Amino acid sequence: MEDLEETLFEDFENYSYALEYYSPETDSEEKAPLGAIHWVSLVLCCLAFVLGIPGNATVIWFTGFKWKKTVTTLWFLNLAIADFIFLLFLPLYISYVAMNFHWPFGIWLCKANSFIAQLNMFASVFFLMVISLDRYIYLIHPVLSHRYRTLRNSLIVIIVVWLLASLMGGPALYFRDTLELNNHTLCYNNFHEHDVDLRLLRHHVLTWVKVIVGYLLPLLTMSICYLCLIFKVKKRSILISSKHFWTILAVVMAFLICWTPYHLFSIWELTIHHNSYFHQVLQASIPLSTGLAFLNSCLNPILYVLISKKFQARFRASVAEILKYTLWEVSCSGTLSEQLRNSETKNLSLLETAQ
């Protein structure tokens, strides 16, 4: 038995398994229960799905179909679309973790699921960065904002963001693969089967690009923009509500709390090529940090749109308009049916008279 486990582990080590948490040592116990931390990660993912899908769908409905198109509504619409699609594929990941990291959906869904997750993760983060830049320019540089802050330019920025996010998510389509190990299927990053140096290089490059472009750059941009915004507003004695200040702080803190563990453990995961000592720690912590990252997509519509007084006023007006229209339709249909009944009664009376 020990020889079998050793062979499986050696075969397993021939593959790069970024974000994979399956351990061959537990494979002999096919029905081994998930750890407590894995259950916590599942709860976080389910919470993100239950809250995020209706929250982002509401934002998409109003910003996309009910409200006038402005630069701001376009940012929030695309942020909500990115978060909505990101969460829409979450049940596949939940199933993967719930089945003790067994992937029964095939290689193409393995590739597609990872690509869509990466695409919309980067798109969501990039739109958070764009929104912070837009707020800073709009409030601090009104002349520049009036000249360049147009619907046409914002559409160009949106296209660039989606193309850049597609480029960042593209490697998942190429490297993502499935592997059978003793009736257990993994969906993993196959950077190279035989060349250890090439595998290590690809894993390092992709991880650091993801950390720098998908975390450090947006975090620095958001922090600098919002700090400059607060200092400039105070310096110019422009009134800013305490609610607006706390909203800004909540946005940055939510980004930090949700994304920092994910990227820290992604960097820590690089050590697995040199030392498997932390394998069990990573096996428990990476799903938990991934669940936290998913949670950010359900917080975005709450922090950016749903708590806004302007949104609440527009939402109430829109709901009132829908209810008014629905009641009008019901009233019209009721009046029409009453007219039909009266007409039928009249016709019957005429027939009886004629007889």
Side-chain angles (χ1 to χ4, degrees), residues 24-41:
E25 285 85 346
T26 61
D27 196 60
S28 57
E29 302 171 7
E30 291 183 4
K31 295 185 179 179
L34 289 174
I37 296 179
H38 286 169
W39 281 111
V40 172
S41 71

PDB file of all heavy atoms in Angstrom, residues 24-41:
ATOM      1  N   PRO A  24      -2.931  12.460  -2.978  1.00  0.00           N
ATOM      2  CA  PRO A  24      -2.999  11.031  -3.242  1.00  0.00           C
ATOM      3  C   PRO A  24      -3.063  10.193  -1.972  1.00  0.00           C
ATOM      4  O   PRO A  24      -3.534   9.068  -1.995  1.00  0.00           O
ATOM      5  CB  PRO A  24      -1.693  10.748  -3.994  1.00  0.00           C
ATOM      6  CG  PRO A  24      -1.237  12.064  -4.505  1.00  0.00           C
ATOM      7  CD  PRO A  24      -1.721  13.075  -3.541  1.00  0.00           C
ATOM      8  N   GLU A  25      -2.593  10.742  -0.857  1.00  0.00           N
ATOM      9  CA  GLU A  25      -2.596   9.963   0.372  1.00  0.00           C
ATOM     10  C   GLU A  25      -4.011   9.613   0.819  1.00  0.00           C
ATOM     11  O   GLU A  25      -4.236   8.622   1.499  1.00  0.00           O
ATOM     12  CB  GLU A  25      -1.899  10.742   1.505  1.00  0.00           C
ATOM     13  CG  GLU A  25      -0.391  10.767   1.383  1.00  0.00           C
ATOM     14  CD  GLU A  25       0.104  11.884   0.479  1.00  0.00           C
ATOM     15  OE1 GLU A  25      -0.708  12.465  -0.261  1.00  0.00           O
ATOM     16  OE2 GLU A  25       1.307  12.142   0.504  1.00  0.00           O
ATOM     17  N   THR A  26      -4.973  10.473   0.431  1.00  0.00           N
ATOM     18  CA  THR A  26      -6.352  10.233   0.855  1.00  0.00           C
ATOM     19  C   THR A  26      -7.153   9.489  -0.186  1.00  0.00           C
ATOM     20  O   THR A  26      -8.338   9.246  -0.006  1.00  0.00           O
ATOM     21  CB  THR A  26      -7.055  11.573   1.166  1.00  0.00           C
ATOM     22  OG1 THR A  26      -7.068  12.345  -0.026  1.00  0.00           O
ATOM     23  CG2 THR A  26      -6.369  12.317   2.277  1.00  0.00           C
ATOM     24  N   ASP A  27      -6.515   9.112  -1.288  1.00  0.00           N
ATOM     25  CA  ASP A  27      -7.259   8.503  -2.376  1.00  0.00           C
ATOM     26  C   ASP A  27      -7.741   7.102  -2.036  1.00  0.00           C
ATOM     27  O   ASP A  27      -8.726   6.635  -2.570  1.00  0.00           O
ATOM     28  CB  ASP A  27      -6.394   8.468  -3.633  1.00  0.00           C
ATOM     29  CG  ASP A  27      -7.214   8.205  -4.884  1.00  0.00           C
ATOM     30  OD1 ASP A  27      -8.098   9.049  -5.140  1.00  0.00           O
ATOM     31  OD2 ASP A  27      -6.986   7.199  -5.560  1.00  0.00           O
ATOM     32  N   SER A  28      -7.001   6.431  -1.174  1.00  0.00           N
ATOM     33  CA  SER A  28      -7.423   5.093  -0.790  1.00  0.00           C
ATOM     34  C   SER A  28      -8.730   5.135   0.004  1.00  0.00           C
ATOM     35  O   SER A  28      -9.474   4.181   0.052  1.00  0.00           O
ATOM     36  CB  SER A  28      -6.344   4.406   0.042  1.00  0.00           C
ATOM     37  OG  SER A  28      -6.042   5.170   1.178  1.00  0.00           O
ATOM     38  N   GLU A  29      -9.001   6.313   0.614  1.00  0.00           N
ATOM     39  CA  GLU A  29     -10.251   6.500   1.339  1.00  0.00           C
ATOM     40  C   GLU A  29     -11.170   7.343   0.470  1.00  0.00           C
ATOM     41  O   GLU A  29     -11.284   8.547   0.632  1.00  0.00           O
ATOM     42  CB  GLU A  29      -9.997   7.185   2.684  1.00  0.00           C
ATOM     43  CG  GLU A  29      -9.033   6.414   3.562  1.00  0.00           C
ATOM     44  CD  GLU A  29      -8.652   7.233   4.785  1.00  0.00           C
ATOM     45  OE1 GLU A  29      -9.244   8.301   4.992  1.00  0.00           O
ATOM     46  OE2 GLU A  29      -7.766   6.804   5.519  1.00  0.00           O
ATOM     47  N   GLU A  30     -11.826   6.700  -0.506  1.00  0.00           N
ATOM     48  CA  GLU A  30     -12.570   7.428  -1.520  1.00  0.00           C
ATOM     49  C   GLU A  30     -13.697   8.260  -0.927  1.00  0.00           C
ATOM     50  O   GLU A  30     -14.097   9.261  -1.478  1.00  0.00           O
ATOM     51  CB  GLU A  30     -13.121   6.463  -2.554  1.00  0.00           C
ATOM     52  CG  GLU A  30     -12.018   5.837  -3.410  1.00  0.00           C
ATOM     53  CD  GLU A  30     -12.587   4.938  -4.497  1.00  0.00           C
ATOM     54  OE1 GLU A  30     -13.824   4.871  -4.611  1.00  0.00           O
ATOM     55  OE2 GLU A  30     -11.798   4.330  -5.206  1.00  0.00           O
ATOM     56  N   LYS A  31     -14.229   7.832   0.220  1.00  0.00           N
ATOM     57  CA  LYS A  31     -15.338   8.545   0.816  1.00  0.00           C
ATOM     58  C   LYS A  31     -14.892   9.355   2.028  1.00  0.00           C
ATOM     59  O   LYS A  31     -15.649   9.594   2.955  1.00  0.00           O
ATOM     60  CB  LYS A  31     -16.446   7.574   1.208  1.00  0.00           C
ATOM     61  CG  LYS A  31     -17.088   6.889  -0.005  1.00  0.00           C
ATOM     62  CD  LYS A  31     -18.255   6.024   0.411  1.00  0.00           C
ATOM     63  CE  LYS A  31     -18.904   5.359  -0.796  1.00  0.00           C
ATOM     64  NZ  LYS A  31     -20.026   4.491  -0.404  1.00  0.00           N
ATOM     65  N   ALA A  32     -13.615   9.747   2.029  1.00  0.00           N
ATOM     66  CA  ALA A  32     -13.099  10.545   3.145  1.00  0.00           C
ATOM     67  C   ALA A  32     -13.851  11.863   3.224  1.00  0.00           C
ATOM     68  O   ALA A  32     -14.053  12.521   2.219  1.00  0.00           O
ATOM     69  CB  ALA A  32     -11.605  10.798   2.951  1.00  0.00           C
ATOM     70  N   PRO A  33     -14.288  12.262   4.409  1.00  0.00           N
ATOM     71  CA  PRO A  33     -15.071  13.496   4.531  1.00  0.00           C
ATOM     72  C   PRO A  33     -14.210  14.733   4.303  1.00  0.00           C
ATOM     73  O   PRO A  33     -13.008  14.709   4.515  1.00  0.00           O
ATOM     74  CB  PRO A  33     -15.582  13.433   5.981  1.00  0.00           C
ATOM     75  CG  PRO A  33     -14.568  12.595   6.693  1.00  0.00           C
ATOM     76  CD  PRO A  33     -14.081  11.600   5.696  1.00  0.00           C
ATOM     77  N   LEU A  34     -14.869  15.806   3.856  1.00  0.00           N
ATOM     78  CA  LEU A  34     -14.171  17.071   3.680  1.00  0.00           C
ATOM     79  C   LEU A  34     -13.813  17.654   5.036  1.00  0.00           C
ATOM     80  O   LEU A  34     -14.527  17.451   6.024  1.00  0.00           O
ATOM     81  CB  LEU A  34     -15.064  18.057   2.931  1.00  0.00           C
ATOM     82  CG  LEU A  34     -15.319  17.801   1.439  1.00  0.00           C
ATOM     83  CD1 LEU A  34     -16.336  18.793   0.932  1.00  0.00           C
ATOM     84  CD2 LEU A  34     -14.039  17.899   0.632  1.00  0.00           C
ATOM     85  N   GLY A  35     -12.704  18.402   5.072  1.00  0.00           N
ATOM     86  CA  GLY A  35     -12.302  19.052   6.304  1.00  0.00           C
ATOM     87  C   GLY A  35     -13.218  20.220   6.630  1.00  0.00           C
ATOM     88  O   GLY A  35     -13.966  20.708   5.780  1.00  0.00           O
ATOM     89  N   ALA A  36     -13.136  20.698   7.873  1.00  0.00           N
ATOM     90  CA  ALA A  36     -13.988  21.798   8.328  1.00  0.00           C
ATOM     91  C   ALA A  36     -13.743  23.062   7.501  1.00  0.00           C
ATOM     92  O   ALA A  36     -14.685  23.793   7.177  1.00  0.00           O
ATOM     93  CB  ALA A  36     -13.730  22.066   9.804  1.00  0.00           C
ATOM     94  N   ILE A  37     -12.464  23.310   7.152  1.00  0.00           N
ATOM     95  CA  ILE A  37     -12.132  24.515   6.386  1.00  0.00           C
ATOM     96  C   ILE A  37     -12.727  24.450   4.983  1.00  0.00           C
ATOM     97  O   ILE A  37     -13.173  25.453   4.430  1.00  0.00           O
ATOM     98  CB  ILE A  37     -10.600  24.714   6.323  1.00  0.00           C
ATOM     99  CG1 ILE A  37     -10.067  24.972   7.738  1.00  0.00           C
ATOM    100  CG2 ILE A  37     -10.221  25.869   5.414  1.00  0.00           C
ATOM    101  CD1 ILE A  37      -8.580  25.157   7.835  1.00  0.00           C
ATOM    102  N   HIS A  38     -12.751  23.239   4.407  1.00  0.00           N
ATOM    103  CA  HIS A  38     -13.374  23.083   3.092  1.00  0.00           C
ATOM    104  C   HIS A  38     -14.875  23.361   3.162  1.00  0.00           C
ATOM    105  O   HIS A  38     -15.450  23.931   2.235  1.00  0.00           O
ATOM    106  CB  HIS A  38     -13.115  21.679   2.543  1.00  0.00           C
ATOM    107  CG  HIS A  38     -11.706  21.487   2.068  1.00  0.00           C
ATOM    108  ND1 HIS A  38     -11.199  20.251   1.746  1.00  0.00           N
ATOM    109  CD2 HIS A  38     -10.706  22.369   1.863  1.00  0.00           C
ATOM    110  CE1 HIS A  38      -9.938  20.379   1.362  1.00  0.00           C
ATOM    111  NE2 HIS A  38      -9.622  21.658   1.432  1.00  0.00           N
ATOM    112  N   TRP A  39     -15.503  22.951   4.268  1.00  0.00           N
ATOM    113  CA  TRP A  39     -16.924  23.250   4.423  1.00  0.00           C
ATOM    114  C   TRP A  39     -17.156  24.757   4.580  1.00  0.00           C
ATOM    115  O   TRP A  39     -18.150  25.290   4.077  1.00  0.00           O
ATOM    116  CB  TRP A  39     -17.492  22.497   5.621  1.00  0.00           C
ATOM    117  CG  TRP A  39     -17.778  21.051   5.336  1.00  0.00           C
ATOM    118  CD1 TRP A  39     -17.130  19.962   5.835  1.00  0.00           C
ATOM    119  CD2 TRP A  39     -18.760  20.541   4.442  1.00  0.00           C
ATOM    120  NE1 TRP A  39     -17.646  18.801   5.315  1.00  0.00           N
ATOM    121  CE2 TRP A  39     -18.653  19.121   4.459  1.00  0.00           C
ATOM    122  CE3 TRP A  39     -19.728  21.130   3.626  1.00  0.00           C
ATOM    123  CZ2 TRP A  39     -19.483  18.305   3.693  1.00  0.00           C
ATOM    124  CZ3 TRP A  39     -20.551  20.319   2.857  1.00  0.00           C
ATOM    125  CH2 TRP A  39     -20.423  18.923   2.897  1.00  0.00           C
ATOM    126  N   VAL A  40     -16.237  25.432   5.258  1.00  0.00           N
ATOM    127  CA  VAL A  40     -16.340  26.889   5.389  1.00  0.00           C
ATOM    128  C   VAL A  40     -16.232  27.543   4.018  1.00  0.00           C
ATOM    129  O   VAL A  40     -16.982  28.474   3.686  1.00  0.00           O
ATOM    130  CB  VAL A  40     -15.244  27.438   6.338  1.00  0.00           C
ATOM    131  CG1 VAL A  40     -15.233  28.962   6.323  1.00  0.00           C
ATOM    132  CG2 VAL A  40     -15.458  26.928   7.755  1.00  0.00           C
ATOM    133  N   SER A  41     -15.295  27.045   3.193  1.00  0.00           N
ATOM    134  CA  SER A  41     -15.140  27.587   1.832  1.00  0.00           C
ATOM    135  C   SER A  41     -16.399  27.348   1.002  1.00  0.00           C
ATOM    136  O   SER A  41     -16.810  28.213   0.217  1.00  0.00           O
ATOM    137  CB  SER A  41     -13.918  26.976   1.146  1.00  0.00           C
ATOM    138  OG  SER A  41     -14.141  25.621   0.810  1.00  0.00           O
TER     139      SER A  41
END
